[in-house]
Amino acid sequence: GEGHENKIYHLTAPISYSFEEVAQVLSELSGKKIPYISPESKVFEDTLKQWGLPDEVVNVSSLFSTGIKNND
């Protein structure tokens, strides 16, 4: 959008939360158990393919999820 060209925005927070912690907070807020499930890479990729996502999107999503899992 206008005024944002060539600008850098650092999106950080003073505290980082794991996906398990987010699921726990959502469970507390909703009053329902919301589990966090971290599937193996192959299962994740197969699920994305079953949803009809193109291979390029599956590959990028898999790389991102692996990076997150490894704290990269």
Side-chain angles (χ1 to χ4, degrees):
E2 257 183 67
H4 300 284
E5 296 84 4
N6 299 314
K7 299 237 178 175
I8 296 174
Y9 296 94
H10 298 280
L11 304 175
T12 61
I15 300 172
S16 69
Y17 297 95
S18 70
F19 289 115
E20 285 184 27
E21 291 170 319
V22 171
Q24 181 181 359
V25 169
L26 291 173
S27 294
E28 291 169 6
L29 292 173
S30 69
K32 299 176 184 179
K33 175 67 177 152
I34 300 174
Y36 169 64
I37 300 168
S38 180
E40 294 298 320
S41 295
K42 177 83 169 100
V43 172
F44 179 63
E45 291 169 6
D46 289 346
T47 301
L48 295 180
K49 289 177 184 178
Q50 288 174 0
W51 290 345
L53 294 173
D55 287 341
E56 295 82 12
V57 173
V58 172
N59 292 337
V60 169
S61 297
S62 183
L63 288 172
F64 272 115
S65 66
T66 300
I68 291 168
K69 185 179 264 188
N70 295 330
N71 292 318
D72 290 340

